[in-house]
Amino acid sequence: MSLPKKVKIVEVGPRDGLQNEKEFVPIDVKVDLINQLSNAGFPNIEAASFVSPKWIPQMAGSAEVMNSIIRKPGIIYSALTPNMKGYEDALLAKTDEIVIFSAASEAFSQKNINCSIAESVERFTPVTTAAKRDGIRIRGSISCSFGCPYQGAVEPKQVADVVKRMMDLGCDEIDIADTIGVGTPGQVAAVFEEILGFAPKELFSGHFHDTYGQSLANIYAAMEMGISIFHSSIAGLGGCPYAKGATGNVATEDVLYMLKGLGIETDINFDAAVSIGDYITKKIGKRNASRVGRALAAKRSTGD
Ligand code: HMG
Ligand code: MG
């Protein structure tokens, strides 16, 4: 299959990227980050997470973040909602798209949201019913679609099973997530082949963490299968609190550089994205995990 002409990037830095930071990132820095991303043309920004602050302390203050950002028309600002409490908070904070999240592995579901996959679907049912009633977009995220830190191998059929449950819940988009970044391009092809057997390619996005350095190759493999929505995190920020050793998402700057080279459109200002990566890593005192970001920062500083 030929590669897509246009790709939608979902920028998950403000949520997936920051959620694992030990030091609390001030609300005004989070707001500033999101505003800069909006100005750079990102069409969809995962901005907040209405989960228990006991489980994910960094995401406390999500309502304040959502209420303080300058929204640009047409941009989708998403937030995680694991249950009705999260949904009600997200609704009050004028969230455009809610994200329900489960896993293709029972063990990870227990560690991450303290319930089985089947129980998670029960919990999500009132959430998605309310979102449909309120006209809010619904995204479903499936963790550990290519491997689990507790259970090990995950079969494409297990992913397909959760995809069907997410479809029954009425999801508008479904993320196939490599939480611990272990997947390889052959596996990506196998998982998408399985799920594209019963669902349209437009329904899916690829959410790849870069722990084993496979994420750009995995995006390419997914594009070859017809997928055209990908998640990435500015400066490659991130890691999952319930997946030890997992690094951040694939870096946005690296994805944009690859897509630019392939002549694939995103509507995102590449130079602005590089500057944002530089800004946030300096603000939180982290090394920029984007190879492209580091290369261009070095070039800018020497004026070459
Ligand atoms: P629980 O302990 O089973 O739930 O947690 P509970 O209903 O018994 O509630 C416990 C306490 O949390 C109560 O407070 C609730 O009020 C409170 P207490 O009475 O003890 O003071 N609570 C909440 N507070 C704020 N907002 C809420 C909320 N719900 C309950 N929404 C629960 C179950 C789902 C809440 C918990 O396990 C949780 O919050 N988990 C979140 C885990 C998480 O956020 N993980 C990271 C995001 S997923 C991810 O990163 C993967 C992804 O990127 C894709 C990939 O890469 O795989 C999406
Ligand atoms: Mg993730």
Side-chain angles (χ1 to χ4, degrees), residues 245-272:
T247 66
N249 300 84
V250 62
T252 304
E253 301 90 313
D254 297 1
V255 179
L256 292 178
Y257 182 82
M258 178 178 80
L259 296 178
K260 204 156 76 91
L262 290 166
I264 297 172
E265 285 169 43
T266 61
D267 291 341
I268 296 163
N269 181 324
F270 173 70
D271 291 332

mmCIF file with all atom_site columns, all heavy atoms in Angstrom, residues 245-272:
data_model
loop_
_atom_site.group_PDB
_atom_site.id
_atom_site.type_symbol
_atom_site.label_atom_id
_atom_site.label_alt_id
_atom_site.label_comp_id
_atom_site.label_asym_id
_atom_site.label_entity_id
_atom_site.label_seq_id
_atom_site.pdbx_PDB_ins_code
_atom_site.Cartn_x
_atom_site.Cartn_y
_atom_site.Cartn_z
_atom_site.occupancy
_atom_site.B_iso_or_equiv
_atom_site.pdbx_formal_charge
_atom_site.auth_seq_id
_atom_site.auth_comp_id
_atom_site.auth_asym_id
_atom_site.auth_atom_id
_atom_site.pdbx_PDB_model_num
ATOM 1   N N   . GLY A 1 245 ? 11.216 1.269  33.420 1.00 0.00 ? 245 GLY A N   1
ATOM 2   C CA  . GLY A 1 245 ? 12.243 1.279  32.381 1.00 0.00 ? 245 GLY A CA  1
ATOM 3   C C   . GLY A 1 245 ? 11.746 1.775  31.035 1.00 0.00 ? 245 GLY A C   1
ATOM 4   O O   . GLY A 1 245 ? 12.544 2.015  30.133 1.00 0.00 ? 245 GLY A O   1
ATOM 5   N N   . ALA A 1 246 ? 10.419 1.905  30.884 1.00 0.00 ? 246 ALA A N   1
ATOM 6   C CA  . ALA A 1 246 ? 9.890  2.370  29.600 1.00 0.00 ? 246 ALA A CA  1
ATOM 7   C C   . ALA A 1 246 ? 10.268 3.836  29.406 1.00 0.00 ? 246 ALA A C   1
ATOM 8   O O   . ALA A 1 246 ? 10.128 4.638  30.321 1.00 0.00 ? 246 ALA A O   1
ATOM 9   C CB  . ALA A 1 246 ? 8.374  2.212  29.556 1.00 0.00 ? 246 ALA A CB  1
ATOM 10  N N   . THR A 1 247 ? 10.758 4.173  28.217 1.00 0.00 ? 247 THR A N   1
ATOM 11  C CA  . THR A 1 247 ? 11.117 5.568  27.963 1.00 0.00 ? 247 THR A CA  1
ATOM 12  C C   . THR A 1 247 ? 9.919  6.288  27.368 1.00 0.00 ? 247 THR A C   1
ATOM 13  O O   . THR A 1 247 ? 8.827  5.736  27.263 1.00 0.00 ? 247 THR A O   1
ATOM 14  C CB  . THR A 1 247 ? 12.303 5.669  26.985 1.00 0.00 ? 247 THR A CB  1
ATOM 15  O OG1 . THR A 1 247 ? 11.860 5.166  25.733 1.00 0.00 ? 247 THR A OG1 1
ATOM 16  C CG2 . THR A 1 247 ? 13.506 4.897  27.480 1.00 0.00 ? 247 THR A CG2 1
ATOM 17  N N   . GLY A 1 248 ? 10.179 7.520  26.945 1.00 0.00 ? 248 GLY A N   1
ATOM 18  C CA  . GLY A 1 248 ? 9.109  8.351  26.418 1.00 0.00 ? 248 GLY A CA  1
ATOM 19  C C   . GLY A 1 248 ? 8.552  7.861  25.098 1.00 0.00 ? 248 GLY A C   1
ATOM 20  O O   . GLY A 1 248 ? 9.009  6.868  24.522 1.00 0.00 ? 248 GLY A O   1
ATOM 21  N N   . ASN A 1 249 ? 7.566  8.616  24.641 1.00 0.00 ? 249 ASN A N   1
ATOM 22  C CA  . ASN A 1 249 ? 6.996  8.358  23.319 1.00 0.00 ? 249 ASN A CA  1
ATOM 23  C C   . ASN A 1 249 ? 8.046  8.708  22.272 1.00 0.00 ? 249 ASN A C   1
ATOM 24  O O   . ASN A 1 249 ? 9.000  9.423  22.552 1.00 0.00 ? 249 ASN A O   1
ATOM 25  C CB  . ASN A 1 249 ? 5.788  9.272  23.092 1.00 0.00 ? 249 ASN A CB  1
ATOM 26  C CG  . ASN A 1 249 ? 4.713  9.032  24.115 1.00 0.00 ? 249 ASN A CG  1
ATOM 27  O OD1 . ASN A 1 249 ? 4.761  9.584  25.196 1.00 0.00 ? 249 ASN A OD1 1
ATOM 28  N ND2 . ASN A 1 249 ? 3.759  8.198  23.784 1.00 0.00 ? 249 ASN A ND2 1
ATOM 29  N N   . VAL A 1 250 ? 7.811  8.263  21.068 1.00 0.00 ? 250 VAL A N   1
ATOM 30  C CA  . VAL A 1 250 ? 8.657  8.702  19.964 1.00 0.00 ? 250 VAL A CA  1
ATOM 31  C C   . VAL A 1 250 ? 8.651  10.230 19.952 1.00 0.00 ? 250 VAL A C   1
ATOM 32  O O   . VAL A 1 250 ? 7.616  10.858 20.218 1.00 0.00 ? 250 VAL A O   1
ATOM 33  C CB  . VAL A 1 250 ? 8.150  8.105  18.625 1.00 0.00 ? 250 VAL A CB  1
ATOM 34  C CG1 . VAL A 1 250 ? 6.744  8.556  18.281 1.00 0.00 ? 250 VAL A CG1 1
ATOM 35  C CG2 . VAL A 1 250 ? 9.098  8.418  17.486 1.00 0.00 ? 250 VAL A CG2 1
ATOM 36  N N   . ALA A 1 251 ? 9.820  10.834 19.685 1.00 0.00 ? 251 ALA A N   1
ATOM 37  C CA  . ALA A 1 251 ? 9.915  12.299 19.731 1.00 0.00 ? 251 ALA A CA  1
ATOM 38  C C   . ALA A 1 251 ? 9.210  12.923 18.525 1.00 0.00 ? 251 ALA A C   1
ATOM 39  O O   . ALA A 1 251 ? 9.439  12.507 17.380 1.00 0.00 ? 251 ALA A O   1
ATOM 40  C CB  . ALA A 1 251 ? 11.373 12.730 19.756 1.00 0.00 ? 251 ALA A CB  1
ATOM 41  N N   . THR A 1 252 ? 8.396  13.922 18.803 1.00 0.00 ? 252 THR A N   1
ATOM 42  C CA  . THR A 1 252 ? 7.642  14.602 17.735 1.00 0.00 ? 252 THR A CA  1
ATOM 43  C C   . THR A 1 252 ? 8.575  15.136 16.645 1.00 0.00 ? 252 THR A C   1
ATOM 44  O O   . THR A 1 252 ? 8.298  14.990 15.450 1.00 0.00 ? 252 THR A O   1
ATOM 45  C CB  . THR A 1 252 ? 6.843  15.770 18.354 1.00 0.00 ? 252 THR A CB  1
ATOM 46  O OG1 . THR A 1 252 ? 6.019  15.231 19.385 1.00 0.00 ? 252 THR A OG1 1
ATOM 47  C CG2 . THR A 1 252 ? 5.998  16.482 17.320 1.00 0.00 ? 252 THR A CG2 1
ATOM 48  N N   . GLU A 1 253 ? 9.675  15.774 17.061 1.00 0.00 ? 253 GLU A N   1
ATOM 49  C CA  . GLU A 1 253 ? 10.583 16.377 16.085 1.00 0.00 ? 253 GLU A CA  1
ATOM 50  C C   . GLU A 1 253 ? 11.122 15.308 15.131 1.00 0.00 ? 253 GLU A C   1
ATOM 51  O O   . GLU A 1 253 ? 11.280 15.556 13.925 1.00 0.00 ? 253 GLU A O   1
ATOM 52  C CB  . GLU A 1 253 ? 11.777 17.053 16.789 1.00 0.00 ? 253 GLU A CB  1
ATOM 53  C CG  . GLU A 1 253 ? 11.404 18.151 17.777 1.00 0.00 ? 253 GLU A CG  1
ATOM 54  C CD  . GLU A 1 253 ? 11.190 17.621 19.194 1.00 0.00 ? 253 GLU A CD  1
ATOM 55  O OE1 . GLU A 1 253 ? 10.492 16.602 19.365 1.00 0.00 ? 253 GLU A OE1 1
ATOM 56  O OE2 . GLU A 1 253 ? 11.714 18.235 20.141 1.00 0.00 ? 253 GLU A OE2 1
ATOM 57  N N   . ASP A 1 254 ? 11.411 14.098 15.661 1.00 0.00 ? 254 ASP A N   1
ATOM 58  C CA  . ASP A 1 254 ? 11.953 13.026 14.815 1.00 0.00 ? 254 ASP A CA  1
ATOM 59  C C   . ASP A 1 254 ? 10.900 12.555 13.816 1.00 0.00 ? 254 ASP A C   1
ATOM 60  O O   . ASP A 1 254 ? 11.202 12.294 12.643 1.00 0.00 ? 254 ASP A O   1
ATOM 61  C CB  . ASP A 1 254 ? 12.427 11.844 15.685 1.00 0.00 ? 254 ASP A CB  1
ATOM 62  C CG  . ASP A 1 254 ? 13.571 12.230 16.624 1.00 0.00 ? 254 ASP A CG  1
ATOM 63  O OD1 . ASP A 1 254 ? 13.978 13.416 16.617 1.00 0.00 ? 254 ASP A OD1 1
ATOM 64  O OD2 . ASP A 1 254 ? 14.057 11.364 17.368 1.00 0.00 ? 254 ASP A OD2 1
ATOM 65  N N   . VAL A 1 255 ? 9.652  12.454 14.288 1.00 0.00 ? 255 VAL A N   1
ATOM 66  C CA  . VAL A 1 255 ? 8.568  12.020 13.388 1.00 0.00 ? 255 VAL A CA  1
ATOM 67  C C   . VAL A 1 255 ? 8.357  13.069 12.293 1.00 0.00 ? 255 VAL A C   1
ATOM 68  O O   . VAL A 1 255 ? 8.255  12.738 11.109 1.00 0.00 ? 255 VAL A O   1
ATOM 69  C CB  . VAL A 1 255 ? 7.246  11.815 14.176 1.00 0.00 ? 255 VAL A CB  1
ATOM 70  C CG1 . VAL A 1 255 ? 6.122  11.401 13.239 1.00 0.00 ? 255 VAL A CG1 1
ATOM 71  C CG2 . VAL A 1 255 ? 7.434  10.765 15.272 1.00 0.00 ? 255 VAL A CG2 1
ATOM 72  N N   . LEU A 1 256 ? 8.334  14.350 12.705 1.00 0.00 ? 256 LEU A N   1
ATOM 73  C CA  . LEU A 1 256 ? 8.101  15.418 11.719 1.00 0.00 ? 256 LEU A CA  1
ATOM 74  C C   . LEU A 1 256 ? 9.218  15.443 10.678 1.00 0.00 ? 256 LEU A C   1
ATOM 75  O O   . LEU A 1 256 ? 8.967  15.646 9.490  1.00 0.00 ? 256 LEU A O   1
ATOM 76  C CB  . LEU A 1 256 ? 8.015  16.784 12.414 1.00 0.00 ? 256 LEU A CB  1
ATOM 77  C CG  . LEU A 1 256 ? 6.784  17.000 13.304 1.00 0.00 ? 256 LEU A CG  1
ATOM 78  C CD1 . LEU A 1 256 ? 6.839  18.386 13.966 1.00 0.00 ? 256 LEU A CD1 1
ATOM 79  C CD2 . LEU A 1 256 ? 5.482  16.844 12.520 1.00 0.00 ? 256 LEU A CD2 1
ATOM 80  N N   . TYR A 1 257 ? 10.443 15.224 11.134 1.00 0.00 ? 257 TYR A N   1
ATOM 81  C CA  . TYR A 1 257 ? 11.592 15.225 10.206 1.00 0.00 ? 257 TYR A CA  1
ATOM 82  C C   . TYR A 1 257 ? 11.443 14.092 9.195  1.00 0.00 ? 257 TYR A C   1
ATOM 83  O O   . TYR A 1 257 ? 11.631 14.275 7.990  1.00 0.00 ? 257 TYR A O   1
ATOM 84  C CB  . TYR A 1 257 ? 12.887 15.078 11.011 1.00 0.00 ? 257 TYR A CB  1
ATOM 85  C CG  . TYR A 1 257 ? 14.143 15.116 10.187 1.00 0.00 ? 257 TYR A CG  1
ATOM 86  C CD1 . TYR A 1 257 ? 14.697 16.338 9.785  1.00 0.00 ? 257 TYR A CD1 1
ATOM 87  C CD2 . TYR A 1 257 ? 14.786 13.942 9.798  1.00 0.00 ? 257 TYR A CD2 1
ATOM 88  C CE1 . TYR A 1 257 ? 15.840 16.379 9.017  1.00 0.00 ? 257 TYR A CE1 1
ATOM 89  C CE2 . TYR A 1 257 ? 15.942 13.972 9.036  1.00 0.00 ? 257 TYR A CE2 1
ATOM 90  C CZ  . TYR A 1 257 ? 16.462 15.197 8.649  1.00 0.00 ? 257 TYR A CZ  1
ATOM 91  O OH  . TYR A 1 257 ? 17.604 15.240 7.881  1.00 0.00 ? 257 TYR A OH  1
ATOM 92  N N   . MET A 1 258 ? 11.076 12.919 9.680  1.00 0.00 ? 258 MET A N   1
ATOM 93  C CA  . MET A 1 258 ? 10.904 11.771 8.770  1.00 0.00 ? 258 MET A CA  1
ATOM 94  C C   . MET A 1 258 ? 9.768  12.042 7.776  1.00 0.00 ? 258 MET A C   1
ATOM 95  O O   . MET A 1 258 ? 9.916  11.815 6.574  1.00 0.00 ? 258 MET A O   1
ATOM 96  C CB  . MET A 1 258 ? 10.618 10.488 9.560  1.00 0.00 ? 258 MET A CB  1
ATOM 97  C CG  . MET A 1 258 ? 10.396 9.290  8.651  1.00 0.00 ? 258 MET A CG  1
ATOM 98  S SD  . MET A 1 258 ? 10.120 7.744  9.535  1.00 0.00 ? 258 MET A SD  1
ATOM 99  C CE  . MET A 1 258 ? 8.400  7.884  9.988  1.00 0.00 ? 258 MET A CE  1
ATOM 100 N N   . LEU A 1 259 ? 8.649  12.555 8.288  1.00 0.00 ? 259 LEU A N   1
ATOM 101 C CA  . LEU A 1 259 ? 7.491  12.789 7.410  1.00 0.00 ? 259 LEU A CA  1
ATOM 102 C C   . LEU A 1 259 ? 7.811  13.863 6.373  1.00 0.00 ? 259 LEU A C   1
ATOM 103 O O   . LEU A 1 259 ? 7.435  13.747 5.204  1.00 0.00 ? 259 LEU A O   1
ATOM 104 C CB  . LEU A 1 259 ? 6.259  13.189 8.235  1.00 0.00 ? 259 LEU A CB  1
ATOM 105 C CG  . LEU A 1 259 ? 5.727  12.111 9.199  1.00 0.00 ? 259 LEU A CG  1
ATOM 106 C CD1 . LEU A 1 259 ? 4.535  12.644 9.991  1.00 0.00 ? 259 LEU A CD1 1
ATOM 107 C CD2 . LEU A 1 259 ? 5.331  10.823 8.459  1.00 0.00 ? 259 LEU A CD2 1
ATOM 108 N N   . LYS A 1 260 ? 8.534  14.888 6.830  1.00 0.00 ? 260 LYS A N   1
ATOM 109 C CA  . LYS A 1 260 ? 8.940  15.957 5.900  1.00 0.00 ? 260 LYS A CA  1
ATOM 110 C C   . LYS A 1 260 ? 9.782  15.354 4.762  1.00 0.00 ? 260 LYS A C   1
ATOM 111 O O   . LYS A 1 260 ? 9.560  15.639 3.581  1.00 0.00 ? 260 LYS A O   1
ATOM 112 C CB  . LYS A 1 260 ? 9.767  17.000 6.680  1.00 0.00 ? 260 LYS A CB  1
ATOM 113 C CG  . LYS A 1 260 ? 9.784  18.390 6.080  1.00 0.00 ? 260 LYS A CG  1
ATOM 114 C CD  . LYS A 1 260 ? 10.079 19.437 7.164  1.00 0.00 ? 260 LYS A CD  1
ATOM 115 C CE  . LYS A 1 260 ? 11.528 19.484 7.592  1.00 0.00 ? 260 LYS A CE  1
ATOM 116 N NZ  . LYS A 1 260 ? 12.365 20.412 6.843  1.00 0.00 ? 260 LYS A NZ  1
ATOM 117 N N   . GLY A 1 261 ? 10.707 14.494 5.128  1.00 0.00 ? 261 GLY A N   1
ATOM 118 C CA  . GLY A 1 261 ? 11.568 13.844 4.136  1.00 0.00 ? 261 GLY A CA  1
ATOM 119 C C   . GLY A 1 261 ? 10.785 12.987 3.155  1.00 0.00 ? 261 GLY A C   1
ATOM 120 O O   . GLY A 1 261 ? 11.186 12.806 2.003  1.00 0.00 ? 261 GLY A O   1
ATOM 121 N N   . LEU A 1 262 ? 9.655  12.456 3.630  1.00 0.00 ? 262 LEU A N   1
ATOM 122 C CA  . LEU A 1 262 ? 8.827  11.598 2.766  1.00 0.00 ? 262 LEU A CA  1
ATOM 123 C C   . LEU A 1 262 ? 7.793  12.414 1.992  1.00 0.00 ? 262 LEU A C   1
ATOM 124 O O   . LEU A 1 262 ? 7.004  11.848 1.230  1.00 0.00 ? 262 LEU A O   1
ATOM 125 C CB  . LEU A 1 262 ? 8.093  10.556 3.625  1.00 0.00 ? 262 LEU A CB  1
ATOM 126 C CG  . LEU A 1 262 ? 8.959  9.457  4.254  1.00 0.00 ? 262 LEU A CG  1
ATOM 127 C CD1 . LEU A 1 262 ? 8.178  8.723  5.347  1.00 0.00 ? 262 LEU A CD1 1
ATOM 128 C CD2 . LEU A 1 262 ? 9.441  8.469  3.189  1.00 0.00 ? 262 LEU A CD2 1
ATOM 129 N N   . GLY A 1 263 ? 7.780  13.737 2.228  1.00 0.00 ? 263 GLY A N   1
ATOM 130 C CA  . GLY A 1 263 ? 6.799  14.595 1.541  1.00 0.00 ? 263 GLY A CA  1
ATOM 131 C C   . GLY A 1 263 ? 5.390  14.408 2.068  1.00 0.00 ? 263 GLY A C   1
ATOM 132 O O   . GLY A 1 263 ? 4.412  14.656 1.363  1.00 0.00 ? 263 GLY A O   1
ATOM 133 N N   . ILE A 1 264 ? 5.258  13.972 3.333  1.00 0.00 ? 264 ILE A N   1
ATOM 134 C CA  . ILE A 1 264 ? 3.928  13.762 3.928  1.00 0.00 ? 264 ILE A CA  1
ATOM 135 C C   . ILE A 1 264 ? 3.562  14.990 4.764  1.00 0.00 ? 264 ILE A C   1
ATOM 136 O O   . ILE A 1 264 ? 4.340  15.429 5.611  1.00 0.00 ? 264 ILE A O   1
ATOM 137 C CB  . ILE A 1 264 ? 3.928  12.479 4.799  1.00 0.00 ? 264 ILE A CB  1
ATOM 138 C CG1 . ILE A 1 264 ? 4.204  11.258 3.908  1.00 0.00 ? 264 ILE A CG1 1
ATOM 139 C CG2 . ILE A 1 264 ? 2.614  12.329 5.567  1.00 0.00 ? 264 ILE A CG2 1
ATOM 140 C CD1 . ILE A 1 264 ? 4.414  9.956  4.657  1.00 0.00 ? 264 ILE A CD1 1
ATOM 141 N N   . GLU A 1 265 ? 2.381  15.539 4.519  1.00 0.00 ? 265 GLU A N   1
ATOM 142 C CA  . GLU A 1 265 ? 1.952  16.771 5.204  1.00 0.00 ? 265 GLU A CA  1
ATOM 143 C C   . GLU A 1 265 ? 1.467  16.516 6.630  1.00 0.00 ? 265 GLU A C   1
ATOM 144 O O   . GLU A 1 265 ? 0.904  15.451 6.910  1.00 0.00 ? 265 GLU A O   1
ATOM 145 C CB  . GLU A 1 265 ? 0.752  17.379 4.476  1.00 0.00 ? 265 GLU A CB  1
ATOM 146 C CG  . GLU A 1 265 ? 1.051  18.063 3.192  1.00 0.00 ? 265 GLU A CG  1
ATOM 147 C CD  . GLU A 1 265 ? -0.248 18.382 2.467  1.00 0.00 ? 265 GLU A CD  1
ATOM 148 O OE1 . GLU A 1 265 ? -1.211 18.833 3.125  1.00 0.00 ? 265 GLU A OE1 1
ATOM 149 O OE2 . GLU A 1 265 ? -0.281 18.136 1.254  1.00 0.00 ? 265 GLU A OE2 1
ATOM 150 N N   . THR A 1 266 ? 1.651  17.526 7.492  1.00 0.00 ? 266 THR A N   1
ATOM 151 C CA  . THR A 1 266 ? 1.099  17.462 8.866  1.00 0.00 ? 266 THR A CA  1
ATOM 152 C C   . THR A 1 266 ? 0.446  18.773 9.299  1.00 0.00 ? 266 THR A C   1
ATOM 153 O O   . THR A 1 266 ? -0.247 18.797 10.318 1.00 0.00 ? 266 THR A O   1
ATOM 154 C CB  . THR A 1 266 ? 2.204  17.164 9.906  1.00 0.00 ? 266 THR A CB  1
ATOM 155 O OG1 . THR A 1 266 ? 3.163  18.221 9.856  1.00 0.00 ? 266 THR A OG1 1
ATOM 156 C CG2 . THR A 1 266 ? 2.858  15.826 9.681  1.00 0.00 ? 266 THR A CG2 1
ATOM 157 N N   . ASP A 1 267 ? 0.718  19.876 8.588  1.00 0.00 ? 267 ASP A N   1
ATOM 158 C CA  . ASP A 1 267 ? 0.255  21.228 8.955  1.00 0.00 ? 267 ASP A CA  1
ATOM 159 C C   . ASP A 1 267 ? 0.955  21.764 10.202 1.00 0.00 ? 267 ASP A C   1
ATOM 160 O O   . ASP A 1 267 ? 0.502  22.748 10.789 1.00 0.00 ? 267 ASP A O   1
ATOM 161 C CB  . ASP A 1 267 ? -1.268 21.267 9.211  1.00 0.00 ? 267 ASP A CB  1
ATOM 162 C CG  . ASP A 1 267 ? -2.068 21.066 7.933  1.00 0.00 ? 267 ASP A CG  1
ATOM 163 O OD1 . ASP A 1 267 ? -1.485 21.256 6.848  1.00 0.00 ? 267 ASP A OD1 1
ATOM 164 O OD2 . ASP A 1 267 ? -3.253 20.702 8.033  1.00 0.00 ? 267 ASP A OD2 1
ATOM 165 N N   . ILE A 1 268 ? 2.028  21.115 10.645 1.00 0.00 ? 268 ILE A N   1
ATOM 166 C CA  . ILE A 1 268 ? 2.724  21.575 11.861 1.00 0.00 ? 268 ILE A CA  1
ATOM 167 C C   . ILE A 1 268 ? 4.000  22.314 11.452 1.00 0.00 ? 268 ILE A C   1
ATOM 168 O O   . ILE A 1 268 ? 4.721  21.874 10.540 1.00 0.00 ? 268 ILE A O   1
ATOM 169 C CB  . ILE A 1 268 ? 3.057  20.375 12.778 1.00 0.00 ? 268 ILE A CB  1
ATOM 170 C CG1 . ILE A 1 268 ? 1.759  19.740 13.271 1.00 0.00 ? 268 ILE A CG1 1
ATOM 171 C CG2 . ILE A 1 268 ? 3.937  20.803 13.961 1.00 0.00 ? 268 ILE A CG2 1
ATOM 172 C CD1 . ILE A 1 268 ? 1.911  18.352 13.829 1.00 0.00 ? 268 ILE A CD1 1
ATOM 173 N N   . ASN A 1 269 ? 4.273  23.412 12.145 1.00 0.00 ? 269 ASN A N   1
ATOM 174 C CA  . ASN A 1 269 ? 5.479  24.189 11.871 1.00 0.00 ? 269 ASN A CA  1
ATOM 175 C C   . ASN A 1 269 ? 6.679  23.468 12.517 1.00 0.00 ? 269 ASN A C   1
ATOM 176 O O   . ASN A 1 269 ? 6.810  23.437 13.743 1.00 0.00 ? 269 ASN A O   1
ATOM 177 C CB  . ASN A 1 269 ? 5.297  25.600 12.454 1.00 0.00 ? 269 ASN A CB  1
ATOM 178 C CG  . ASN A 1 269 ? 6.492  26.483 12.188 1.00 0.00 ? 269 ASN A CG  1
ATOM 179 O OD1 . ASN A 1 269 ? 7.632  26.040 12.186 1.00 0.00 ? 269 ASN A OD1 1
ATOM 180 N ND2 . ASN A 1 269 ? 6.216  27.761 11.967 1.00 0.00 ? 269 ASN A ND2 1
ATOM 181 N N   . PHE A 1 270 ? 7.526  22.902 11.671 1.00 0.00 ? 270 PHE A N   1
ATOM 182 C CA  . PHE A 1 270 ? 8.634  22.066 12.149 1.00 0.00 ? 270 PHE A CA  1
ATOM 183 C C   . PHE A 1 270 ? 9.625  22.863 13.019 1.00 0.00 ? 270 PHE A C   1
ATOM 184 O O   . PHE A 1 270 ? 10.002 22.415 14.109 1.00 0.00 ? 270 PHE A O   1
ATOM 185 C CB  . PHE A 1 270 ? 9.354  21.443 10.937 1.00 0.00 ? 270 PHE A CB  1
ATOM 186 C CG  . PHE A 1 270 ? 10.604 20.700 11.278 1.00 0.00 ? 270 PHE A CG  1
ATOM 187 C CD1 . PHE A 1 270 ? 10.546 19.495 11.965 1.00 0.00 ? 270 PHE A CD1 1
ATOM 188 C CD2 . PHE A 1 270 ? 11.847 21.200 10.915 1.00 0.00 ? 270 PHE A CD2 1
ATOM 189 C CE1 . PHE A 1 270 ? 11.712 18.804 12.289 1.00 0.00 ? 270 PHE A CE1 1
ATOM 190 C CE2 . PHE A 1 270 ? 13.013 20.512 11.233 1.00 0.00 ? 270 PHE A CE2 1
ATOM 191 C CZ  . PHE A 1 270 ? 12.940 19.317 11.920 1.00 0.00 ? 270 PHE A CZ  1
ATOM 192 N N   . ASP A 1 271 ? 9.997  24.052 12.556 1.00 0.00 ? 271 ASP A N   1
ATOM 193 C CA  . ASP A 1 271 ? 10.964 24.854 13.329 1.00 0.00 ? 271 ASP A CA  1
ATOM 194 C C   . ASP A 1 271 ? 10.404 25.221 14.705 1.00 0.00 ? 271 ASP A C   1
ATOM 195 O O   . ASP A 1 271 ? 11.125 25.209 15.703 1.00 0.00 ? 271 ASP A O   1
ATOM 196 C CB  . ASP A 1 271 ? 11.335 26.147 12.573 1.00 0.00 ? 271 ASP A CB  1
ATOM 197 C CG  . ASP A 1 271 ? 12.152 25.828 11.333 1.00 0.00 ? 271 ASP A CG  1
ATOM 198 O OD1 . ASP A 1 271 ? 12.851 24.799 11.337 1.00 0.00 ? 271 ASP A OD1 1
ATOM 199 O OD2 . ASP A 1 271 ? 12.064 26.591 10.354 1.00 0.00 ? 271 ASP A OD2 1
ATOM 200 N N   . ALA A 1 272 ? 9.106  25.520 14.727 1.00 0.00 ? 272 ALA A N   1
ATOM 201 C CA  . ALA A 1 272 ? 8.477  25.859 16.013 1.00 0.00 ? 272 ALA A CA  1
ATOM 202 C C   . ALA A 1 272 ? 8.505  24.642 16.936 1.00 0.00 ? 272 ALA A C   1
ATOM 203 O O   . ALA A 1 272 ? 8.774  24.769 18.140 1.00 0.00 ? 272 ALA A O   1
ATOM 204 C CB  . ALA A 1 272 ? 7.041  26.331 15.791 1.00 0.00 ? 272 ALA A CB  1
#
